Amino acid sequence: MDTLNEDQRIDQAAKFIKDSNRILLITGAGVSAESGLPTYRGEGGLYNDGMTPDGIAIEEAISGRMMQKDPALCWKYLVQIEQSARNATFNRAHEVIALLEKEKPELFVFTQNVDSFHTMAGSKNTIEIHGNFRTLRCTHCHYTSETVDYRTISIPPICPECKKFLRPDVVLFGEMLPEEPLRRLRMESNKGFDLVISAGTSSVFPYITEPVFAAARSGKPTIEINPTGSEISHLFTINLAMPAGIALDRIYHRMLPY
Ligand code: OAD
């Protein structure tokens, strides 16, 4: 595929999607970059500074351990991350992904993003492997609630039922992945995918790279959309080195009948 020019790559990507029924679309922070959200790594990344003003690494500040030890400190940094998504909404990338699902009912969005933009854009088959910021759950009892803006709650929030701390239903550093989304991913992976697309992720976790390895092993096509590429770019059938919103919009237009 290396010999193809950009237009030909877009054409080929559109053809792969048209020819596929079961599609896994893996997304990461880069997909929300065009909504104005910072990514975690790379230019302007949230983790780039490393140390927090409290003298601890950001990975320590927003860890499961810190949520137990010092919920107020952990919440302080969670609010900063939530703040960056406030007033922002989904972009053309999320929109096209939701449109594609309408044509391909067996398209699954496997996202690491906690911003809920895929759901807001209309995607139904969404596997949120890192949870989402909108759902709060009690650290002690079964209480859960939904919130769209952390400014409307006291920080750290207290459970109205048992008076212990609430926390966002997201995976913090050092925590296990949630059982339900993992189960759904496993179930769909066992049925196999005709195509795997990875958009806007640095692909640092094994559960993110594994579906790409699996597709490559079984000779299935794969597409990566990432302006700078990732550690596993060489594995993909097609690399689209451009912003996700632009790439997906161009692909979608190629798929429309004229
Ligand atoms: P990263 O910040 O690690 O990577 C974002 C990727 O998006 C980079 O490879 C960028 O090159 C790419 N990118 C930037 N702008 C883009 C655009 N407009 N279109 C497409 N790609 C673009 O984010 P993730 O891979 O999502 O976990 O990070 C994975 C996880 O690490 C996050 O979910 C978070 C973090 O620790 C938790 O919070 C549990």
Side-chain angles (χ1 to χ4, degrees):
M1 291 292 165
D2 274 344
T3 53
L4 301 183
N5 66 33
E6 198 174 90
D7 264 349
Q8 290 168 325
R9 285 168 198 232
I10 295 280
D11 272 344
Q12 187 60 62
K15 184 169 175 352
F16 280 154
I17 296 174
K18 268 187 169 171
D19 293 347
S20 302
N21 289 320
R22 292 185 55 79
I23 302 172
L24 184 69
L25 214 157
I26 305 166
T27 67
V31 159
S32 295
E34 286 150 273
S35 294
L37 268 60
T39 56
Y40 295 95
R41 302 168 187 84
E43 206 186 313
L46 283 167
Y47 296 166
N48 287 356
D49 290 343
M51 291 305 266
T52 63
D54 287 284
I56 47 169
I58 185 72
E59 289 89 345
E60 178 63 15
I62 51 174
S63 65
R65 223 161 54 104
M66 190 59 77
M67 182 54 85
Q68 285 180 353
K69 196 172 95 182
D70 189 346
L73 187 96
C74 188
W75 264 101
K76 177 175 157 186
Y77 291 97
L78 291 173
V79 170
Q80 284 180 13
I81 296 176
E82 187 260 352
Q83 225 165 24
S84 61
R86 239 179 246 161
N87 307 320
T89 190
F90 58 86
N91 64 50
R92 185 65 182 152
H94 303 93
E95 233 168 47
V96 170
I97 292 169
L99 288 169
L100 288 175
E101 188 189 304
K102 286 201 164 69
E103 288 173 40
K104 303 282 176 183
E106 289 187 284
L107 180 150
F108 297 86
V109 180
F110 176 45
T111 189
Q112 298 159 89
N113 298 344
V114 293
D115 54 32
S116 305
F117 288 168
H118 285 296
T119 318
M120 286 158 69
S123 287
K124 301 269 185 283
N125 296 336
T126 307
I127 303 172
E128 291 179 317
I129 197 69
H130 291 163
N132 74 77
F133 255 53
R134 289 177 154 218
T135 308
L136 301 185
R137 63 176 165 87
C138 183
T139 51
H140 192 70
C141 72
H142 292 297
Y143 178 84
T144 61
S145 68
E146 296 291 315
T147 180
V148 288
D149 186 337
Y150 285 2
R151 281 174 301 188
T152 62
I153 54 173
S154 63
I155 301 291
I158 305 294
C159 175
E161 288 183 5
C162 75
K163 310 297 175 213
K164 296 279 200 285
F165 289 108
L166 295 178
R167 57 165 289 174
D169 194 17
V170 297
V171 177
L172 299 173
F173 276 101
E175 290 188 319
M176 307 268 286
L177 294 174
E179 202 38 57
E180 174 55 17
L182 261 187
R183 189 193 61 76
R184 286 185 60 210
L185 176 69
R186 252 183 247 126
M187 190 176 81
E188 298 306 337
S189 299
N190 287 343
K191 293 184 201 163
F193 293 109
D194 305 322
L195 170 67
V196 174
I197 305 172
S198 175
T201 178
S202 54
S203 296
V204 286
F205 298 124
Y207 47 93
I208 297 304
T209 55
E210 177 47 33
V212 182
F213 280 111
R217 275 196 303 268
S218 52
K220 301 290 183 190
T222 50
I223 304 168
E224 181 178 66
I225 306 172
N226 190 320
T228 60
S230 69
E231 294 280 309
I232 60 161
S233 290
H234 61 282
L235 288 176
F236 291 87
T237 320
I238 302 179
N239 297 97
L240 296 171
M242 59 183 93
I246 294 175
L248 285 162
D249 185 64
R250 285 179 64 185
I251 291 171
Y252 190 67
H253 277 98
R254 286 306 152 88
M255 291 176 64
L256 295 175
Y258 288 100

